[in-house]
Amino acid sequence: MENHYYLVATPESLIASHLRPFEFGNYLAVGTRKNLRSQSVYFEIDPSKVELPLDYVEEKLVPYENGEPKRSVYLSIYRVFESIPLDALKNLYLATDDGKVLEIHAAEYVAKTTKDIHLYQQYNPFSTMVASKLNPAEFIQHLTNGSTPVSVPKLFFVELQLNQLANDPTLPLNNLPYRNPAHLRECLIKLNETSERLTKTVLRVRQSELPYRTIEDGFFIGDSKSFLFYPFPSQKELESTYFSWWRSALVQHF
């Protein structure tokens, strides 16, 4: 059987598996008996560009006695993201809580100049939600350049929608399903009123699964030298090409 290697963000781990990316996402989301219900965000990685414990993989990643593929062998669960080079990352996958999987290819990022404030949900190395005056590329550089005590070697996050609030925090949220909207608005107003401050923490820890419908441009992962952008499909694409996944993403399953 073919070996696959995955960098998982929810929770952080490096996993070897016989499952292909879509099968692997379904397994992470619902398990083998369909008893689980959880989103999952993960990359497939190129094993030729990563140092792997191949002897351990050869020993542990073997089919079950009945011939079924081995679903997961954990290779690391600590500081995994910072150890995986960006050029080893292949496609990004988003699994809904009932096991539907969306594949996203990396693309060139063109910064938008129409926003005063951005909203970022970070996945690694922490799960803080942050409002920022910095665009995604600037935000990555700000936190990874090592010029301040508050820095990280690598950052993985998604940009979320603010709609009109990106330029005027006093306007209505309309269809944005964020918890405690009054607190979000207060954070945006404070950030907007302070010229020196570049970022403002909205939530210190992610409190629940991310509503995929709140994603703005897409996902970003980078360090002080470079970054990768994984664009979220447009509304038109979601309602046509990816309709099955999108329908699942809009429903909370129990």
Side-chain angles (χ1 to χ4, degrees):
M1 294 183 180
E2 186 178 359
N3 295 350
H4 296 269
Y5 299 88
Y6 300 102
L7 174 61
V8 183
T10 51
E12 180 181 14
S13 50
L14 179 62
I15 300 176
S17 176
H18 285 145
L19 301 179
R20 296 175 182 269
F22 284 83
E23 297 169 331
F24 183 72
N26 180 268
Y27 163 71
L28 289 180
V30 301
T32 57
R33 300 180 183 276
K34 311 302 180 186
N35 292 330
L36 302 176
R37 291 289 182 185
S38 62
Q39 291 180 354
S40 191
V41 178
Y42 59 98
F43 296 88
E44 185 174 17
I45 64 173
D46 183 346
S48 68
K49 298 180 179 179
V50 181
E51 290 188 17
L52 296 168
L54 295 179
D55 291 342
Y56 183 79
V57 171
E58 184 178 354
E59 176 187 354
K60 297 294 184 180
L61 191 62
V62 294
Y64 293 99
E65 292 183 358
N66 62 3
E68 290 186 4
K70 186 76 171 182
R71 299 174 184 89
S72 62
V73 173
Y74 281 77
L75 304 180
S76 181
I77 58 172
Y78 178 63
R79 299 178 69 173
V80 185
F81 267 75
E82 66 183 83
S83 68
I84 304 296
L86 292 179
D87 65 355
L89 299 179
K90 299 171 75 173
N91 294 335
L92 174 67
Y93 298 87
L94 309 181
T96 65
D97 65 0
D98 72 334
K100 300 291 191 303
V101 179
L102 174 68
E103 181 181 41
I104 303 178
H105 299 260
E108 182 181 359
Y109 175 70
V110 179
K112 294 181 178 179
T113 58
T114 56
K115 286 186 177 182
D116 294 329
I117 300 176
H118 303 258
L119 184 63
Y120 302 128
Q121 175 59 63
Q122 299 172 97
Y123 277 89
N124 188 271
F126 25 64
S127 58
T128 309
M129 180 184 287
V130 176
S132 178
K133 296 175 183 176
L134 303 173
N135 68 38
E138 295 169 338
F139 185 65
I140 292 171
Q141 187 60 218
H142 176 68
L143 285 178
T144 62
N145 64 23
S147 62
T148 67
V150 182
S151 62
V152 296
K154 190 174 291 178
L155 191 64
F156 176 47
F157 63 95
V158 60
E159 181 169 10
L160 303 182
Q161 297 177 11
L162 279 177
N163 296 342
Q164 301 176 90
L165 272 67
N167 300 104
D168 187 349
T170 65
L171 294 175
L173 263 72
N174 292 329
N175 197 34
L176 297 178
Y178 298 128
R179 289 187 176 187
N180 200 342
H183 173 66
L184 172 62
R185 187 187 307 282
E186 180 182 358
C187 291
L188 297 178
I189 290 174
K190 286 184 177 179
L191 181 61
N192 197 46
E193 292 176 343
T194 308
S195 59
E196 305 83 19
R197 192 163 192 170
L198 297 176
T199 62
K200 171 68 177 173
T201 298
V202 178
L203 291 175
R204 292 181 176 84
V205 179
R206 186 172 64 244
Q207 298 179 338
S208 61
E209 293 185 338
L210 174 71
Y212 285 136
R213 73 181 182 90
T214 63
I215 297 175
E216 178 76 6
D217 288 344
F219 290 78
F220 300 82
I221 181 169
D223 53 29
S224 61
K225 297 179 180 179
S226 61
F227 71 93
L228 296 174
F229 169 52
Y230 291 84
F232 195 62
S234 67
Q235 190 67 34
K236 182 179 180 180
E237 291 173 319
L238 290 170
E239 294 175 353
S240 56
T241 307
Y242 308 112
F243 177 75
S244 177
W245 181 89
W246 184 231
R247 181 176 59 181
S248 172
L250 292 176
V251 177
Q252 183 177 4
H253 303 87
F254 297 94

